[in-house]
Amino acid sequence: MDKFWLFAVAVGPVLLGCAIVFAMMRRRRLSEREKNAQTAAIADLYDKPTTRS
């Protein structure tokens, strides 16, 4: 049982850190065209009046 806690405390955070780094490296950046479309969509969203029933 002591080896389990050693693994959980010592190796667990290292594995979590590796998973976070892996996810950050795989994240795809938006192209210039996608950034412009996103900005236009946000502006359109904020320009529309909201109606509530």
Side-chain angles (χ1 to χ4, degrees), residues 1-38:
M1 190 66 172
D2 290 335
K3 290 182 182 182
F4 170 74
W5 285 110
L6 175 66
F7 181 80
V9 172
V11 180
V14 173
L15 290 176
L16 179 61
C18 290
I20 291 171
V21 169
F22 177 75
M24 290 177 68
M25 291 180 69
R26 298 226 352 128
R27 189 173 70 194
R28 189 177 70 85
R29 302 285 181 196
L30 294 178
S31 68
E32 193 64 34
R33 185 176 185 184
E34 291 170 325
K35 286 180 187 177
N36 291 337
Q38 182 183 41

